[in-house]
Amino acid sequence: MAEKQTTLVCLVAVTVLLLIQVVESDIGVNWGTISLHRMSPSTVVDLLKDNKIQKVKLFDADPDVMKGLMGSGLEVMVGIPNDMLALLSSSVAASDLWVSQNVSRYMVKGGVNIRYVAVGNEPFLTSYSGQYQSYVVPAMTNLQESLAKANLARNVKLVVPCNADAYESSLPSQGTFRPELTQIITQLVSFLNSNGSPFVVNIYPFLSLYGNSDFPQDYAFFEGTTHAVTDGPNVYSNAFDGNLDTLIAALAKIGYSQMPIVIGEVGWPTDGAISANLTAARVFNQGLAKHVLSNKGTPLRPGVPPMDVYLFSLFDEGAKSVLPGNFERHWGIFSFDGQSKYPLNLGNGPLKNAKDVQYLPYRWCVANPYKNLAEAANHFKIACSYADCTTLNYGGSCYGIGAKGNISYAFNSYYQLQKQNPRSCDFDGLGMVTFLNPSIGECRFLVGVSDHTTSSGFMLHNNWISVLIILWDAWLFLM
């Protein structure tokens, strides 16, 4: 009998050990839609599935995006904007309506696999000066009640993506939440814990580097550093682990040392700042993927990686605010047209490009070389007020292409945004259409994507026409 009990105990121990070992992190993506050139949601969903990206985080519940996700099987986190928190915190009826319109209607057979609802986005951010703080927990309480009424509370979990500025310390083990947040974060984490939800945090080593000239550059990456941080018995060789363990220590101090953690946003931009470029983004994101998928965890949680990690982001978003910096529009691992910017393996092989993207004809709007461009400054400003010209600024991929190049880039960006309407390349006679690609080095003059679906045969015909026109244009240029 004793031998049987011993055997049973051993089997249980082995089973528990196996269960612990199979806990693995998964890499998803943030799909933002503040874009100037948007691809159809169905094309984006196909892109995600082709790359075996199974989890996607949204910042709202855009009906077109949600319809595109119907039947995809992808695990989805939908978001509630911060400016809705006040209403949802004060009205159960408003909460019921939001859940009905943005969750229940999609969670049907063959519908959308909504796993999380993000209540706000970084509502405790220092720069918000506390304007959303008091709304978060009441809004979550109402939303939880609404989910329960809809019989969805078991399947859909509420979370609150927090910025890493919610906690602080000089060493990871000394991490604490900001004093003015301690009480509300404790309430929030208690709520999350009681409902089986993880703590979602956004971590950006790039911003640490960008905002602090003394920050050691190699510490932002995963390739090893000469500036390792020693914290008692633990040594940190990258900012990601140091930041994550600061959060883990802060959670432990309020009584939740085992709280599951999801990384809601992490990534590296490719343009718009000196340290934002293709090489740095590839090194960071590939190092991150390798680190996370190794499942080795952090010094304070060895062998326990974050539950999930959502890369920021899927695409560039050319209409985003540049108040944080020009890099804000260039976080995508894919460019606006679904083409991978650099080689990246997220655990399923190299990234695959979007298929059957329908481009506008291959033509560009540039400054007319035969015109006096002295009067172009006002046109340049107007074009860039509508289109994205952030790559022209210091640190950008188009910085230094000269005054004429700057004007041409602005003209073309506006022209493509206007779907190549001939009148949009006039600029009082200072613009002209060309069929010769004016891109210079790494400075890419884009061609927009079409709003409508076109058969592949028609696009092939158009491409041949474009080739012939380009050859004709080149011949005329050489004459």
Side-chain angles (χ1 to χ4, degrees):
M1 184 68 177
E3 289 182 1
K4 289 183 178 179
Q5 287 179 334
T6 302
T7 302
L8 181 61
V9 169
C10 289
L11 284 172
V12 170
V14 169
T15 302
V16 171
L17 182 61
L18 287 172
L19 286 173
I20 292 173
Q21 288 177 335
V22 297
V23 174
E24 294 182 349
S25 191
D26 202 2
I27 296 178
V29 292
N30 285 269
W31 177 2
T33 56
I34 310 177
S35 304
L36 296 172
H37 307 269
R38 291 179 62 173
M39 289 194 300
S40 71
S42 60
T43 300
V44 177
V45 169
D46 287 343
L47 175 66
L48 292 168
K49 294 171 75 172
D50 285 347
N51 284 287
K52 296 183 173 60
I53 296 172
Q54 299 296 319
K55 300 183 179 184
V56 61
K57 177 171 167 282
L58 309 174
F59 293 92
D60 52 23
D62 183 298
D64 289 337
V65 171
M66 297 300 284
K67 288 174 186 174
L69 287 163
M70 296 279 282
S72 68
L74 301 178
E75 184 178 292
V76 178
M77 181 189 298
V78 297
I80 298 175
N82 288 333
D83 57 13
M84 289 191 65
L85 296 181
L87 174 62
L88 294 173
S89 70
S90 63
S91 169
V92 175
S95 172
D96 289 345
L97 182 61
W98 190 91
V99 168
S100 173
Q101 291 183 337
N102 300 288
V103 182
S104 301
R105 70 184 296 188
Y106 298 112
M107 292 193 69
V108 295
K109 186 176 181 180
V112 183
N113 178 21
I114 300 174
R115 181 74 176 91
Y116 298 108
V117 171
V119 184
N121 184 46
E122 301 183 338
F124 307 122
L125 197 65
T126 308
S127 59
Y128 291 146
S129 303
Q131 71 181 100
Y132 302 115
Q133 272 179 221
S134 62
Y135 304 136
V136 175
V137 173
M140 293 188 77
T141 302
N142 287 345
L143 287 162
Q144 186 68 27
E145 184 179 329
S146 298
L147 288 172
K149 290 178 189 175
N151 294 317
L152 295 172
R154 182 175 297 179
N155 298 320
V156 180
K157 301 300 179 183
L158 299 176
V159 295
V160 178
C162 293
N163 188 279
D165 79 345
Y167 47 90
E168 55 196 10
S169 84
S170 55
L171 290 172
S173 65
Q174 298 173 11
T176 57
F177 290 104
R178 297 199 325 257
E180 73 273 20
L181 291 180
T182 301
Q183 182 177 356
I184 193 168
I185 290 286
T186 302
Q187 294 173 356
L188 168 62
V189 175
S190 174
F191 181 98
L192 296 172
N193 184 65
S194 63
N195 289 287
S197 298
F199 189 97
V200 178
V201 63
N202 301 339
I203 295 177
Y204 283 107
F206 168 81
L207 294 180
S208 298
L209 179 63
Y210 177 79
N212 183 358
S213 58
D214 294 327
F215 191 88
Q217 182 163 330
D218 57 3
Y219 188 61
F221 297 89
F222 298 86
E223 311 299 303
T225 179
T226 57
H227 301 84
V229 173
T230 301
D231 184 6
N234 298 322
V235 178
Y236 294 87
S237 60
N238 66 80
F240 179 82
D241 282 355
N243 196 311
L244 187 52
D245 270 2
T246 304
L247 169 61
I248 290 167
L251 287 168
K253 286 182 175 64
I254 62 172
Y256 295 92
S257 59
Q258 302 303 314
M259 186 73 192
I261 294 172
V262 165
I263 308 300
E265 297 177 24
V266 61
W268 201 279
T270 58
D271 214 328
I274 289 296
S275 51
N277 54 69
L278 294 171
T279 300
R282 179 188 61 78
V283 171
F284 178 84
N285 282 332
Q286 192 60 72
L288 173 74
K290 182 179 178 182
H291 181 66
V292 167
L293 295 176
S294 71
N295 296 309
K296 73 177 185 179
T298 66
L300 290 186
R301 284 191 182 177
V304 184
M307 285 175 59
D308 295 311
V309 174
Y310 292 87
L311 280 180
F312 192 85
S313 72
L314 185 59
F315 301 117
D316 285 350
E317 295 179 81
K320 286 189 73 175
S321 167
V322 294
L323 285 178
N326 291 320
F327 55 81
E328 196 62 27
R329 295 177 175 177
H330 304 281
W331 290 93
I333 57 175
F334 293 94
S335 53
F336 74 95
D337 54 355
Q339 308 305 297
S340 62
K341 294 183 182 178
Y342 47 83
L344 182 63
N345 186 336
L346 300 179
N348 298 300
L351 289 182
K352 298 177 181 177
N353 293 332
K355 297 175 181 175
D356 302 320
V357 178
Q358 308 300 328
Y359 292 93
L360 297 172
Y362 290 98
R363 56 189 177 216
W364 299 262
C365 178
V366 296
N368 191 326
Y370 303 107
K371 297 285 186 176
N372 183 347
L373 300 178
E375 303 299 321
N378 191 49
H379 293 293
F380 174 89
K381 290 178 182 178
I382 292 173
C384 289
S385 70
Y386 288 95
D388 176 31
C389 298
T390 54
T391 60
L392 297 175
N393 296 318
Y394 181 69
S397 59
C398 296
Y399 179 73
I401 61 173
K404 181 182 172 183
N406 289 346
I407 294 167
S408 292
Y409 186 92
F411 283 7
N412 182 65
S413 297
Y414 180 80
Y415 175 66
Q416 303 298 338
L417 185 59
Q418 298 300 320
K419 302 298 180 185
Q420 298 185 356
N421 184 321
R423 289 176 295 178
S424 67
C425 188
D426 181 49
F427 298 106
D428 288 340
L430 299 180
M432 61 173 280
V433 174
T434 180
F435 299 96
L436 290 175
N437 190 338
S439 299
I440 306 168
E442 292 185 359
C443 178
R444 177 190 175 196
F445 281 58
L446 62 87
V447 171
V449 291
S450 175
D451 284 334
H452 54 79
T453 303
T454 315
S455 71
S456 57
F458 182 77
M459 276 305 295
L460 181 64
H461 177 64
N462 265 354
N463 286 343
W464 273 110
I465 291 174
S466 296
V467 170
L468 291 173
I469 291 173
I470 288 170
L471 290 173
W472 173 255
D473 203 41
W475 183 77
L476 289 175
F477 180 79
L478 293 171
M479 288 294 289

